[in-house]
Amino acid sequence: MGYHKEVYCKDYMDTKRCQYGKNCNFAHGLKELRGSAKDLIMYAEHGPYPEHSPKFYVSTAHIEAAIKNEVTDMRSLIDKTIAWSKFGRVATAPCITAVSFSDLKGYCKNVLKGLILRWEEAIQNGAIVVSRGTLNTSDRAGHIWVGYYSDRALKDSGLEYVDADPETWTRLMAVNATSIYSIIDTVLLSSASTNRPGV
């Protein structure tokens, strides 16, 4: 099975030069990257990486694992990780589908043959969202999650991450307490009304 332009050219990624030029079977940058897993591989690490000496590159083994497991982009990666993880989906707002960052890294390591992704870049480009801590923070307690908006139109809706089950979220939404600030406002207003003399 061929993987024409589905993997980055090591020489080009290292030196911006390749002896094969346009005839190279590997991609010279994102513009040339092809294949069903392109939207995932575009965020793959290439070059120096602290945990891998001397360098990490995407290989055909990574591509094969992604195709075999039907992981084509960040969304499908999150969905597959949720199904794979014994903990499943983390508690988030109803419009966000998310998984523990440690589970996501575990899936990449164990299922996708050690694939390393540039998470921060994916977040900056809007492919995924992250909350409660940074990706460089220890995730032993599972407090860092990675997810996506199930409805992209809701991204600017004000709905934010809260540790709550669906029933609690229904109650929060009923009183328009759908963000951290609106929840605080609701609590303050409730406290103010119950603490008034004669109430």
Side-chain angles (χ1 to χ4, degrees):
M1 186 174 182
Y3 293 98
H4 184 69
K5 301 292 185 182
E6 293 189 40
V7 179
Y8 286 120
C9 172
K10 294 179 182 180
D11 290 338
Y12 185 83
M13 297 311 290
D14 281 347
T15 65
K16 298 299 179 189
R17 294 179 182 176
C18 173
Q19 63 177 327
Y20 300 106
K22 293 181 180 178
N23 296 321
C24 182
N25 288 324
F26 303 100
H28 291 177
L30 180 58
K31 288 184 179 179
E32 289 190 7
L33 195 61
R34 300 177 186 170
S36 60
K38 173 187 175 180
D39 291 335
L40 175 70
I41 300 305
M42 67 184 289
Y43 293 114
E45 186 64 60
H46 45 262
Y49 195 80
E51 295 177 15
H52 295 263
S53 181
K55 295 185 177 183
F56 172 84
Y57 296 98
V58 177
S59 69
T60 53
H62 298 118
I63 300 289
E64 288 172 352
I67 292 172
K68 177 183 176 182
N69 291 282
E70 300 177 342
V71 178
T72 58
D73 55 17
M74 286 294 183
R75 282 178 163 232
S76 58
L77 172 60
I78 290 167
D79 290 339
K80 295 294 183 178
T81 302
I82 289 171
W84 171 82
S85 166
K86 70 176 184 177
F87 300 108
R89 184 180 183 273
V90 298
T92 62
C95 63
I96 297 176
T97 299
V99 69
S100 165
F101 184 50
S102 58
D103 283 344
L104 196 62
K105 290 191 293 185
Y107 184 86
C108 288
K109 178 181 179 181
N110 296 298
V111 181
L112 298 185
K113 307 295 183 184
L115 180 66
I116 299 173
L117 299 171
R118 299 190 305 278
W119 306 107
E120 289 83 0
E121 185 177 327
I123 293 164
Q124 289 170 3
N125 290 345
I128 52 179
V129 294
V130 66
S131 185
R132 282 188 64 178
T134 66
L135 301 186
N136 295 322
T137 305
S138 172
D139 190 29
R140 289 176 186 167
H143 290 163
I144 302 170
W145 55 260
V146 177
Y148 64 85
Y149 286 90
S150 50
D151 181 349
R152 292 181 191 275
L154 293 172
K155 186 173 181 181
D156 300 318
S157 67
L159 291 172
E160 293 179 6
Y161 168 70
V162 174
D163 275 321
D165 55 47
E167 184 181 334
T168 303
W169 257 103
T170 300
R171 293 201 302 271
L172 289 171
M173 293 176 76
V175 294
N176 201 30
T178 55
S179 70
I180 299 298
Y181 293 111
S182 61
I183 290 172
I184 292 171
D185 288 342
T186 301
V187 171
L188 290 175
L189 288 171
S190 175
S191 297
S193 63
T194 55
N195 290 330
R196 283 184 305 184
V199 175

